[in-house]
């Protein structure tokens, strides 16, 4: 009986102290989970790449001289498209400010653009005028807008082509000329960053190469002079590697 009375008294004392003990315990601290960084593609840096595609050049010939005698007014000989494949490379630098991307680029392409037409004046028929463009270069500035790893841009600047011209009769070359021609270009493209440092894109450019007088010769003797107007349209697929690690973390 005495033991039972002692146990009951002890439980009563402990229960009276329990609320005070609970109040003295510190509250469990709340810890906020850390914010995970978001990977943002950065287009800044030097890059180098390769491109391949196709192009078409519109060439219109006007006869302005026979031998050393001027032809006035000029006689239209007709137009033709020189088409074929292009392949080459590019190197450049881009810098990014917020979503805007600015850049400079030099591009060089080997080309195999060929075309011909029979000269339209009856006096010259069946003379065939031939154009071959074997090289194209671009030196351009870029302005673009980036949505993370997607970049759309416009570009413009200087363009250069190397062309070979000839007149043939029954497959035999009668005269020829060649030139390096400078002009202007405008274009646009879209590029996708698919892995750290790597991007792939498509691009279109139009080249305004103007009208030049070309002197044709045979065995060093001038045969005729033609004023040739030239434009070029080119579309390429591009692969670029950017140096410096283009992915940054943003919190």
């Amino acid at each position: 009986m005495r033991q039972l009375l002692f146990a009951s008294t002890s439980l009563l004392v402990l229960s009276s102290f329990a609320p005070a003990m609970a109040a003295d315990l510190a509250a469990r601290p709340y810890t906020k989970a850390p914010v995970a960084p978001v990977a943002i593609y950065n287009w800044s840096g030097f890059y180098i790449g390769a491109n391949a595609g196709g192009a078409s050049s519109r060439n219109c010939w006007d006869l302005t001289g026979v031998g050393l005698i001027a032809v006035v007014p000029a006689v239209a000989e007709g137009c033709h498209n020189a088409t074929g494949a292009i392949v080459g490379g590019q190197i450049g630098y881009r810098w990014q400010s917020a979503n805007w991307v600015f850049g400079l680029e030099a591009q060089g392409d080997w080309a195999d653009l060929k075309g011909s037409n029979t000269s339209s004046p009856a006096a010259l028929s069946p003379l065939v005028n031939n154009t071959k463009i074997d090289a194209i270069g671009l030196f351009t500035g870029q302005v673009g807008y980036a949505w993370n790893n997607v970049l759309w841009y416009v570009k413009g600047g200087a363009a250069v082509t190397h062309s070979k011209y000839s007149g043939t009769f029954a497959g035999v070359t009668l005269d020829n000329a060649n030139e390096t021609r400078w002009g202007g270009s405008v274009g646009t493209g879209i590029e996708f960053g698919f892995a750290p440092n790597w991007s792939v894109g498509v691009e279109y450019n139009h080249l305004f190469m103007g009208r030049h007088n070309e002197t044709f010769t045979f065995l060093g003797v001038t045969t005729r002079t033609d004023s040739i107007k030239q434009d070029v349209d080119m579309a390429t697929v591009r692969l670029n590697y950017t140096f410096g690690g283009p992915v940054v973390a943003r919190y």
Side-chain angles (χ1 to χ4, degrees):
M1 184 67 179
R2 184 181 299 174
Q3 293 178 347
L4 180 59
L5 180 61
F6 178 77
S8 300
T9 303
S10 299
L11 289 173
L12 182 61
V13 172
L14 289 174
S15 63
S16 65
F17 282 103
M21 295 174 62
D24 291 337
L25 293 176
R28 184 177 181 181
Y30 172 74
T31 304
K32 186 178 180 180
V35 178
V38 179
I40 300 297
Y41 201 90
N42 185 355
W43 292 93
S44 297
F46 287 97
Y47 64 91
I48 189 170
N51 70 80
S56 177
S57 173
R58 184 71 170 171
N59 297 268
C60 294
W61 298 39
D62 292 338
L63 183 68
T64 60
V66 175
L68 299 178
I69 302 174
V71 175
V72 181
V75 177
E77 292 194 62
C79 302
H80 57 260
N81 293 325
T83 60
I86 57 175
V87 62
Q90 62 274 349
I91 185 170
Y93 179 77
R94 288 174 174 148
W95 60 97
Q96 183 169 353
S97 176
N99 293 88
W100 293 98
V101 180
F102 307 90
L104 296 170
E105 182 181 278
Q107 174 179 331
D109 285 270
W110 167 86
D112 188 27
L113 312 184
K114 298 177 181 178
S116 63
N117 71 283
T118 301
S119 181
S120 57
L124 296 177
S125 296
L127 177 70
V128 176
N129 291 326
N130 306 274
T131 298
K132 179 180 180 181
I133 298 176
D134 56 17
I136 299 174
L138 300 176
F139 303 91
T140 55
Q142 298 180 5
V143 178
Y145 192 86
W147 295 269
N148 196 5
N149 66 322
V150 179
L151 172 65
W152 170 75
Y153 59 88
V154 294
K155 60 188 297 188
V160 59
T161 60
H162 184 265
S163 305
K164 298 178 180 179
Y165 308 107
S166 64
T168 58
F169 176 79
V172 178
T173 300
L174 300 181
D175 55 10
N176 54 59
N178 64 81
E179 67 158 351
T180 298
R181 181 184 301 212
W182 286 87
S185 72
V186 294
T188 185
I190 187 167
E191 200 164 329
F192 303 88
F194 64 90
N197 303 94
W198 290 98
S199 60
V200 64
V202 292
E203 185 178 283
Y204 163 79
N205 290 282
H206 180 79
L207 281 56
F208 305 88
M209 304 309 296
R211 181 178 288 277
H212 284 195
N213 287 324
E214 306 299 333
T215 301
F216 287 74
T217 62
F218 178 72
L219 297 178
V221 178
T222 299
T223 58
R224 58 174 167 153
T225 302
D226 266 83
S227 175
I228 302 177
K229 184 178 184 298
Q230 183 181 92
D231 291 304
V232 181
D233 293 283
M234 51 191 293
T236 55
V237 176
R238 297 152 54 93
L239 178 68
N240 285 330
Y241 181 87
T242 301
F243 297 91
V247 176
V248 298
R250 187 171 71 186
Y251 293 87

